[in-house]
C-alpha cells in the first residue's frame, strides 16, 4: 500500500482502456483457448472492473519510472503489478461514482509531460517515440491521454476516500502513547525567522511613462490592426509568455494569475483590449481571445518599470538606518518590521516568515530553502544580519535584514511541544487505514481476474480473493 501511495504521484505510465462487459467473457476464453501455434503478441495480465492490464504495461511502467530518474532495482515485478492493480481499482470506482475529470486539463498535462520528455532527447520526437516503442506521435499522445486520465481518476478516488477524515485529540494521544519510546521519531532542529524588506521605489514619472507606452500599443492594435501577439514577443517583460505571444489560458474555477489580472481578464469581451493596469509584477494590457466554457484564452504584454540608481541607494540606506536603530535598542525588530518593511505578507506579523510547506512559523533546518539557509546559517539567536541584497525572478532588486527569533534543537518527539507534527502523523496513519479498508471491500465486490504466471505473486492485497 505504501508503494502505491508513493508511486501514484509519479504518473506511472501503463496502457489501459475501458472495455464493455461482454469483452470480459472474451478475455476469459482467450486465457484457455489459444490456438496451439498462435504467436502471442501481448497477453492480458489482469482485468479489474472495466479496465485491463497488459503484460507490456508492467514493462512500460518500469520504463517510465526510469525515465523519471527512479532507481527500479529494488522494485519487484509483482510489487509494480500490484500498484497497477490498485490504480485500476481506484479508476474503475471513480468512473462508477461519476467523479469528473477535465479532458482539457489532461491534454495540457500531456503537453507538459511531452515537453519535459523531449528535453531528455534533445528535442527529438523520433528518439522519444523509439524509447517508448511507439510508431507515431498521435498514438503516443493518445496513450498518454488515457494514462493520465486513469491516473487522475485514481488520484481523485483516493482523495474522495479520505477527504472527510478528521482526527480527535484523544486519537492523537492514543497514537503517540502506542509508539514504544525507543521507536519515537526524532525531529530535526527548527528555527523561526523574521525579516524586514526594503524595496526601491519606482518614481511616478517612470510609472506614467510605462502606462503611456502601453496605451500606444493598444492604439496601434485597435486603430492600425497591429498584432497583439507580435508586440508581446517583441516587448513583453514576462519571460514565461513572451515567446508564446503573451498567451495564457485561465480557468474561472482554478485561479492561476494574481487577483488583479484575473479581474481584468474575466471582465473583457472577446477581441477587447484592456486599459493598462498594475499588479505586483508591473503594468499590463491584456486581450481576451476566446471563451471556452470556464476557460479563457488571453494574451498580455507586461512592462516592468525601471528603478533609478538613486531609489536603490535610498532603499539600502533606509534599511541600514533601521538596522542600527534595532542594534542600538531604540526599537524592536518586530516593531521596525511593522513600521518600515515593504513586504506586505510579513510586516504586520513583525516580519515573521511563514513556512510555505507547513503554514506555520517553524522551518526545519535540513528542509529549509537553500537560499534562506545560506542567509541565516551563521546567525546566532537574536543577532541581526547585515543588509543583504537579492533579485526576484523579474530582476527587481530588494534589500533585507533577518533575525532568528527562536530555535529548537534536534530532539525526540515530545507530545506537548510537537503536537501538530504528531497530529499529522496520526492523521496520515488513519487515512492509510481508511484506504486499506476501502480497498479490501472493493476487491471483494469488483470483477477481478489475474491471469497466468501473475497468480503466483505474493500480493499485499487480496487480489486473488482467496
Amino acid at each position: 500500500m505504501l508503494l502505491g501511495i508513493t508511486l501514484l504521484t509519479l504518473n506511472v505510465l501503463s496502457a489501459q482502456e475501458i472495455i464493455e462487459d461482454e469483452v470480459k467473457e472474451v478475455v476469459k476464453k482467450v486465457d484457455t483457448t489459444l490456438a496451439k501455434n498462435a504467436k502471442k503478441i501481448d497477453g492480458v495480465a489482469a482485468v479489474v472492473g472495466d479496465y485491463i492490464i497488459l503484460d507490456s504495461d508492467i514493462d512500460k511502467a518500469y520504463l517510465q519510472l526510469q525515465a523519471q530518474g527512479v532507481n527500479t532495482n529494488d522494485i519487484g515485478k509483482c510489487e509494480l503489478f500490484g500498484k497497477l492493480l490498485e490504480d485500476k481499482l481506484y479508476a474503475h470506482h471513480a468512473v462508477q461514482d461519476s467523479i469528473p475529470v477535465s479532458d482539457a486539463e489532461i491534454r495540457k498535462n500531456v503537453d507538459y509531460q511531452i515537453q519535459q520528455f523531449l528535453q531528455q532527447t534533445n528535442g527529438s520526437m523520433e528518439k522519444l517515440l523509439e524509447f517508448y516503442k511507439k510508431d507515431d506521435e498521435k498514438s503516443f499522445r493518445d496513450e498518454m491521454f488515457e494514462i493520465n486520465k486513469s491516473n487522475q481518476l485514481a488520484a481523485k478516488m483516493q482523495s474522495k476516500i479520505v477527504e472527510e477524515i478528521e482526527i480527535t485529540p484523544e486519537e492523537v494521544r492514543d497514537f503517540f502513547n502506542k509508539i514504544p519510546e525507543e521507536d519515537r521519531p526524532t525531529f530535526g532542529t527548527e528555527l523561526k525567522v523574521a525579516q524586514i524588506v526594503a524595496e526601491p521605489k519606482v518614481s511616478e514619472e517612470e510609472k506614467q511613462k510605462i502606462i503611456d507606452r502601453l496605451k500606444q500599443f493598444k492604439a496601434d492594435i485597435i486603430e492600425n490592426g497591429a498584432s497583439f501577439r507580435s508586440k508581446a514577443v517583441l516587448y513583453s517583460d514576462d519571460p514565461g509568455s513572451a515567446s508564446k505571444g503573451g498567451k495564457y489560458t485561465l480557468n474561472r474555477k482554478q485561479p492561476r494569475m494574481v487577483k488583479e489580472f484575473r479581474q481584468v481578464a474575466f471582465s473583457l469581451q472577446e477581441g477587447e483590449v484592456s486599459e493598462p493596469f498594475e499588479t505586483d509584477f508591473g503594468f499590463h494590457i491584456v486581450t481576451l481571445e476566446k471563451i471556452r466554457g470556464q476557460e479563457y484564452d488571453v494574451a498580455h504584454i507586461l512592462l516592468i518599470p525601471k528603478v533609478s540608481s538613486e531609489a536603490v541607494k535610498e532603499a539600502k540606506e533606509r534599511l541600514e538606518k533601521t538596522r542600527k536603530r534595532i542594534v542600538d535598542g531604540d526599537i524592536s525588530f518586530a516593531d521596525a518590521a511593522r513600521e518600515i518593511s515593504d513586504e506586505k505578507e510579513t510586516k504586520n506579523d513583525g516580519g515573521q516568515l511563514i513556512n510555505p510547506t507547513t503554514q506555520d512559523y517553524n522551518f526545519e533546518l535540513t528542509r529549509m530553502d537553500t537560499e534562506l539557509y545560506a542567509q541565516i546559517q551563521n546567525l546566532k539567536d537574536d543577532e541581526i544580519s547585515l543588509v543583504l541584497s537579492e533579485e526576484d525572478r523579474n530582476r527587481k532588486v530588494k534589500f533585507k535584514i533577518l533575525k532568528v527569533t527562536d530555535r529548537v534543537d534536534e530532539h525526540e518527539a515530545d507530545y506537548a511541544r510537537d503536537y501538530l507534527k504528531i497530529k499529522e502523523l496520526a492523521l496520515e496513519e488513519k487515512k492509510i487505514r481508511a484506504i486499506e479498508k476501502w480497498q479490501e471491500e472493493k476487491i471483494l465486490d469488483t470483477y477481478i481476474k489475474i491471469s497466468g504466471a501473475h497468480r503466483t505473486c505474493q500480493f499485499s492485497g487480496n487480489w486473488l480473493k482467496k
Side-chain angles (χ1 to χ4, degrees), residues 61-224:
Y62 273 117
L63 277 178
Q64 176 62 7
L65 289 172
Q66 290 161 5
Q68 294 179 356
V70 177
N71 185 349
T72 59
N73 292 336
D74 296 328
I75 301 177
K77 200 164 188 175
C78 285
E79 194 174 11
L80 191 52
F81 179 52
K83 166 63 175 60
L84 298 182
L85 291 172
E86 289 180 11
D87 283 349
K88 300 305 169 283
L89 184 69
Y90 294 129
H92 170 75
H93 284 283
V95 173
Q96 300 301 307
D97 291 357
S98 300
I99 293 177
V101 293
S102 166
D103 286 357
E105 196 66 32
I106 293 169
R107 289 191 185 93
K108 283 183 4 186
N109 195 42
V110 168
D111 290 341
Y112 174 78
Q113 288 177 345
I114 289 177
Q115 289 303 315
Q116 295 298 107
F117 294 159
L118 285 171
Q119 290 181 17
Q120 300 175 30
T121 61
N122 295 320
S124 172
M125 177 60 72
E126 184 179 338
K127 290 182 180 178
L128 184 62
L129 295 176
E130 181 183 352
F131 181 81
Y132 284 108
K133 299 179 174 61
K134 303 301 294 182
D135 295 329
D136 54 69
E137 182 177 345
K138 183 180 183 305
S139 64
F140 182 50
R141 284 183 175 275
D142 289 346
E143 183 174 284
M144 289 276 288
F145 177 86
E146 294 303 327
I147 291 159
N148 275 265
K149 186 170 185 176
S150 176
N151 286 338
Q152 193 172 125
L153 284 167
K156 287 196 171 187
M157 189 69 248
Q158 275 201 346
S159 296
K160 182 179 179 182
I161 295 167
V162 301
E163 66 184 356
E164 295 183 359
I165 292 179
E166 297 178 345
I167 196 160
T168 65
E170 291 76 17
E171 289 175 310
V172 177
R173 183 177 291 278
D174 288 344
F175 168 81
F176 183 73
N177 289 336
K178 287 177 182 177
I179 304 175
E181 286 193 22
E182 63 273 16
D183 294 332
R184 286 180 181 171
T186 297
F187 295 125
T189 299
E190 291 184 335
L191 307 177
K192 291 181 180 178
V193 180
Q195 67 182 23
I196 300 174
V197 176
E199 297 179 356
K201 307 297 183 185
V202 177
S203 69
E204 292 302 317
E205 293 79 8
E206 174 65 14
K207 288 183 179 181
Q208 191 59 50
K209 178 181 173 183
I210 292 293
I211 292 171
D212 290 343
R213 193 175 185 206
L214 288 172
K215 286 183 175 180
Q216 288 175 358
F217 288 165
K218 177 178 178 179
D220 196 22
I221 292 163
I222 293 174
E223 297 171 12
N224 302 320

Side-chain angles (χ1 to χ4, degrees), residues 254-267:
Q254 299 173 358
R256 180 180 179 186
M257 307 291 275
V258 293
K259 179 181 177 182
E260 297 87 349
F261 189 98
R262 298 198 309 273
Q263 286 177 335
V264 173
F266 292 148
S267 69

Side-chain angles (χ1 to χ4, degrees), residues 226-285:
S227 166
F228 191 105
R229 288 203 181 186
S230 294
K231 287 191 179 294
V233 171
L234 291 171
Y235 304 113
S236 181
D237 290 328
D238 178 7
S241 72
S243 63
K244 298 179 292 184
K247 184 179 179 181
Y248 283 107
T249 297
L250 308 182
N251 190 307
R252 278 190 173 275
K253 294 185 177 181
Q254 299 173 358
R256 180 180 179 186
M257 307 291 275
V258 293
K259 179 181 177 182
E260 297 87 349
F261 189 98
R262 298 198 309 273
Q263 286 177 335
V264 173
F266 292 148
S267 69
L268 298 174
Q269 301 295 318
E270 287 188 7
E272 187 179 0
V273 180
S274 75
E275 289 295 319
F277 62 96
E278 185 177 10
T279 71
D280 287 340
F281 295 93
F283 289 85
H284 315 248
I285 55 172

Side-chain angles (χ1 to χ4, degrees), residues 25-74:
E25 300 304 318
V26 175
V27 172
K28 292 179 183 177
K29 293 176 183 178
V30 168
D31 287 328
T32 57
T33 61
L34 284 172
K36 184 176 181 181
N37 297 319
K39 182 179 179 181
K40 185 178 179 182
I41 303 298
D42 198 359
V44 175
V47 180
V48 181
D50 288 336
Y51 288 87
I52 63 172
I53 301 172
L54 302 175
D55 289 328
S56 61
D57 292 340
I58 304 172
D59 298 328
K60 290 176 184 176
Y62 273 117
L63 277 178
Q64 176 62 7
L65 289 172
Q66 290 161 5
Q68 294 179 356
V70 177
N71 185 349
T72 59
N73 292 336
D74 296 328

Side-chain angles (χ1 to χ4, degrees), residues 196-401:
I196 300 174
V197 176
E199 297 179 356
K201 307 297 183 185
V202 177
S203 69
E204 292 302 317
E205 293 79 8
E206 174 65 14
K207 288 183 179 181
Q208 191 59 50
K209 178 181 173 183
I210 292 293
I211 292 171
D212 290 343
R213 193 175 185 206
L214 288 172
K215 286 183 175 180
Q216 288 175 358
F217 288 165
K218 177 178 178 179
D220 196 22
I221 292 163
I222 293 174
E223 297 171 12
N224 302 320
S227 166
F228 191 105
R229 288 203 181 186
S230 294
K231 287 191 179 294
V233 171
L234 291 171
Y235 304 113
S236 181
D237 290 328
D238 178 7
S241 72
S243 63
K244 298 179 292 184
K247 184 179 179 181
Y248 283 107
T249 297
L250 308 182
N251 190 307
R252 278 190 173 275
K253 294 185 177 181
Q254 299 173 358
R256 180 180 179 186
M257 307 291 275
V258 293
K259 179 181 177 182
E260 297 87 349
F261 189 98
R262 298 198 309 273
Q263 286 177 335
V264 173
F266 292 148
S267 69
L268 298 174
Q269 301 295 318
E270 287 188 7
E272 187 179 0
V273 180
S274 75
E275 289 295 319
F277 62 96
E278 185 177 10
T279 71
D280 287 340
F281 295 93
F283 289 85
H284 315 248
I285 55 172
V286 59
T287 184
L288 175 59
E289 296 183 344
K290 191 171 184 59
I291 300 175
R292 296 179 288 109
Q294 295 294 324
E295 293 194 332
Y296 285 54
D297 292 332
V298 303
H300 85 127
I301 299 171
L302 167 69
L303 296 183
I304 301 174
K306 291 181 172 56
V307 176
S308 67
S309 56
E310 290 80 10
V312 172
K313 181 180 178 183
E314 184 279 329
K316 184 177 181 182
E317 290 179 349
R318 175 160 48 97
L319 196 54
E320 286 174 340
K321 290 177 182 177
T322 300
R323 181 182 184 278
K324 186 175 187 304
R325 289 174 63 198
I326 296 169
V327 171
D328 290 346
D330 296 337
I331 191 172
S332 70
F333 192 98
D335 286 342
R338 297 184 185 98
E339 181 181 311
I340 77 107
S341 184
D342 293 322
E343 187 171 64
K344 293 183 293 185
E345 296 83 1
T346 62
K347 71 174 298 176
N348 294 327
D349 208 8
Q352 207 72 51
L353 290 174
I354 294 177
N355 187 330
T357 303
T358 60
Q359 294 301 310
D360 60 21
Y361 295 134
N362 298 309
F363 290 83
E364 191 169 340
L365 204 57
T366 57
R367 299 181 181 179
M368 184 178 287
D369 175 79
T370 53
E371 185 176 3
L372 180 59
Y373 176 77
Q375 292 170 342
I376 58 88
Q377 62 176 323
N378 296 320
L379 283 182
K380 299 175 183 176
D381 294 350
D382 293 326
E383 182 181 2
I384 313 300
S385 76
L386 298 174
V387 173
L388 306 173
S389 67
E390 65 180 27
E391 288 187 359
D392 64 17
R393 62 180 180 176
N394 291 317
R395 302 185 300 280
K396 290 172 63 177
V397 177
K398 62 181 178 181
F399 300 94
K400 64 181 180 179
I401 53 176

